[in-house]
């Protein structure tokens, strides 16, 4: 049983001076009179474990210091990836959606089987890369989607364009329709990496969630709200991380060939931030938390909360809910994770400080429980029950 003075329930409410009763992997009750206290988290802010809707958990820096290179032997590489899972869990993220690497599958399974510690992982396995006609006919696209399902994918990730600088669509509306429709038939969600007009195409195709979304018009955003399409924009961490680690990304595929080339990324930060600000003005638009953490950012996912609140003006409670009940709902897991209530998985974290007053409290995670198992408990017990 956990004693808490302040609990954010994950749905936007604050509970005071209560106790959370855990039985096995689940929350059994919220009962202020429950005894005895196993974990005294009074004085901290208790909330559901965070959910990051967009990371790349298998992305590492190699032995040569470069992004995407092997860390050495296969075993060394595997340990690096396992370390990403560990630091992510220690940072308070008890569930992550990793959007595209077949290496995610054995990691997901090992964590799920309790063999190694890490967040609960949902993965897309291999993403569908839009490449114009070469992507294949709609039937071939459907076959690719089925192959990912057979490989164990929990969702389908689709790239409809490269970047905010190269937003031309790489999938036709027919190809995109086929991908999202086939996934839906198989019971899988679809996340579409999309900028500009690709955002509209993804909404029309009935895809589940748009990643990034920059350059979408207000009409696109209103249509998303109307159709219930989720939006996963970023406010800064992904770019800050590239800039902080530019010598590790320079010259690798998809990144500038020279260090000077990274200057253009600095100009992207306000573009992303302003897009997020604009998205939050659209009524009923469902905006989830996704940090897009790659090598260098694992374990620092919560910096994205700070960027959102400090730089994009997002309300702190809204930011918390975007990584709790709303993210869970977007994953069709709203009945299992993302809130503190009886019957939910006991995914519970505690922060030193109040993120509603000072968002930098998200850096100070002192307690992490996932499915009733405690992985971190740095809190000092504060007296008797
Ligand atoms: Zn990404």
């Amino acid at each position: 049983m956990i004693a808490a003075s302040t609990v954010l329930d994950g749905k936007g409410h604050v509970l005071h001076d209560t106790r959370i009763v855990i039985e096995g992997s689940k929350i059994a009750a919220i009962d202020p009179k429950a005894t005895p206290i196993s974990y005294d988290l009074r004085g901290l802010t208790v909330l559901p474990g965070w959910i990051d809707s967009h990371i790349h958990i298998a992305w590492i820096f190699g032995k040569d210091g470069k992004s995407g290179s092997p860390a050495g032997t296969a075993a060394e590489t595997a340990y690096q990836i396992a370390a990403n899972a560990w630091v992510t869990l220690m940072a308070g993220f008890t569930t992550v959606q990793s959007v595209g690497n077949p290496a995610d599958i054995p990691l997901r399974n090992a964590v799920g089987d309790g063999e190694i510690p890490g967040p609960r992982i949902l993965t897309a396995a291999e993403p569908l890369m839009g490449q114009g006609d070469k992507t294949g006919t709609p039937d071939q696209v459907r076959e690719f989607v089925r192959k990912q399902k057979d490989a164990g994918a929990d969702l389908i990730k689709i790239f409809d364009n490269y970047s905010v600088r190269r937003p031309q669509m790489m999938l036709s509306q027919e190809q995109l329709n086929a991908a999202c429709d086939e996934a839906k038939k198989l019971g899988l969600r679809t996340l579409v990496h999309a900028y500009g007009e690709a955002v509209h195409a993804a909404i029309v195709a009935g895809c589940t969630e748009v990643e990034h979304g920059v350059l979408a018009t207000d009409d696109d955003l209103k249509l998303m709200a109307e159709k219930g399409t989720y939006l996963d924009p970023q406010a800064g961490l992904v770019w800050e991380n590239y800039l902080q680690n530019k010598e590790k990304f320079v010259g690798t595929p998809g990144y500038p060939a020279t260090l000077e080339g990274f200057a253009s990324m600095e100009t992207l930060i306000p573009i992303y931030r302003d897009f997020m600000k604009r998205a939050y003005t659209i009524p009923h638009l469902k905006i989830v938390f996704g940090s897009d953490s790659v090598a260098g950012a694992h374990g620092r996912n919560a910096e994205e909360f700070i960027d959102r609140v400090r730089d994009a003006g997002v309300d702190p409670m809204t930011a918390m809910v975007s990584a709790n009940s709303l993210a869970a709902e977007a994953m069709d897991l709203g009945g299992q994770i993302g809130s503190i209530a009886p019957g939910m998985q006991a995914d519970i974290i505690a922060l030193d400080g109040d993120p509603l007053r000072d968002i930098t409290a998200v850096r100070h995670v002192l307690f992490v429980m996932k499915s009733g198992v405690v992985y971190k408990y740095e809190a000092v017990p504060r007296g008797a029950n």
Side-chain angles (χ1 to χ4, degrees):
M1 189 269 287
I2 292 171
S5 46
T6 305
V7 178
L8 310 186
D9 75 346
K11 295 187 158 182
H13 310 115
V14 186
L15 316 176
H16 294 286
D17 301 319
T18 194
R19 293 176 182 184
I20 306 167
V21 183
I22 317 288
E23 275 171 21
S25 62
K26 290 187 176 173
I27 297 170
I30 309 291
D31 176 1
K33 297 197 167 64
T35 53
I37 295 173
S38 317
Y39 302 101
D40 190 345
L41 305 180
R42 286 175 287 189
L44 307 179
T45 303
V46 174
L47 68 162
W50 288 314
I51 299 166
D52 193 330
S53 299
H54 185 139
I55 73 164
H56 300 269
I57 198 143
W59 197 324
I60 56 170
F61 294 128
K63 213 161 211 174
D64 62 359
K66 291 292 190 180
S67 162
S69 296
T73 65
E76 286 170 321
T77 300
Y79 290 137
Q80 287 290 319
I81 295 173
N84 288 348
W86 171 250
V87 297
T88 302
L89 179 64
M90 287 300 94
F93 289 83
T94 48
T95 301
V96 296
Q97 191 154 250
S98 188
V99 291
N101 188 329
D104 296 344
I105 299 229
L107 178 68
R108 174 196 66 189
N109 295 346
V111 171
D113 292 344
E115 292 165 355
I116 58 170
R120 189 179 290 105
I121 297 170
L122 290 85
T123 177
E126 194 183 329
L128 173 67
M129 305 297 290
Q131 37 190 334
D133 288 342
K134 276 195 285 173
T135 320
T137 63
D139 277 345
Q140 287 167 324
V141 167
R142 287 177 187 274
E143 197 188 326
F144 178 89
V145 169
R146 287 195 296 271
K147 252 167 86 183
Q148 300 318 307
K149 162 95 176 175
D150 291 344
D154 303 293
L155 63 135
I156 301 296
K157 172 78 184 291
I158 300 163
F159 283 85
D160 197 358
N161 40 26
Y162 290 109
S163 67
V164 68
R165 298 264 192 242
R166 293 167 67 192
Q168 54 272 42
M169 280 172 61
M170 300 300 289
L171 289 168
S172 67
Q173 186 71 54
E174 292 67 35
Q175 288 167 328
L176 193 55
N177 290 351
C180 292
D181 180 62
E182 189 66 22
K184 201 175 272 175
K185 280 186 184 153
L186 298 170
L188 299 181
R189 295 169 297 114
T190 36
L191 270 61
V192 186
H193 170 113
Y195 296 93
E197 58 180 356
V199 173
H200 186 262
I203 305 165
V204 171
C207 310
T208 315
E209 184 171 307
V210 167
E211 308 306 300
H212 320 308
V214 181
L215 307 180
T217 65
D218 279 6
D219 282 346
D220 295 334
L221 296 175
K222 285 177 194 157
L223 187 62
M224 289 184 98
E226 196 182 302
K227 299 265 184 196
T229 315
Y230 295 92
L231 176 65
D232 177 19
Q234 288 72 39
L237 171 64
V238 60
W239 300 114
E240 290 156 15
N241 180 60
Y242 290 140
L243 292 166
Q244 285 157 0
N245 291 292
K246 53 186 166 189
E247 59 297 320
K248 296 178 177 171
F249 287 96
V250 66
T252 64
Y255 294 92
T258 63
L259 288 175
E260 295 69 50
F262 281 76
S264 71
M265 281 189 186
E266 277 169 60
T267 65
L268 290 177
I269 295 176
I271 294 173
Y272 271 61
R273 187 182 58 212
D274 292 347
F275 175 70
M276 180 167 293
K277 279 188 191 167
R278 185 157 59 85
Y280 268 106
T281 66
I282 307 294
H284 311 298
L285 180 54
K286 296 195 269 193
I287 302 174
V288 297
F289 178 88
S291 67
D292 204 358
S293 287
V294 301
H298 298 299
R300 298 195 297 126
N301 317 52
E303 294 297 313
E304 172 71 17
F305 287 126
I306 299 172
D307 294 331
R308 287 182 181 209
V309 171
R310 182 194 59 203
D311 301 336
V314 177
D315 165 66
M317 182 64 100
T318 302
M320 294 297 101
V321 172
S322 75
N324 285 150
S325 60
L326 188 63
E329 178 201 303
M331 293 175 174
D332 286 337
L333 294 175
Q336 296 171 52
I337 58 173
S339 53
I340 293 183
M344 304 297 288
Q345 285 291 311
D347 290 359
I348 296 169
I349 63 173
L351 313 179
D352 187 7
D354 178 358
L356 305 184
R357 281 191 206 163
D358 175 3
I359 192 63
T360 63
V362 298
R363 290 180 177 144
H364 308 296
V365 175
L366 298 188
F367 179 85
V368 176
M369 172 187 276
K370 190 190 85 178
S371 291
V373 176
V374 174
Y375 292 91
K376 188 180 201 178
Y377 184 33
E378 293 178 1
V380 180
R382 283 166 178 75
N385 56 352

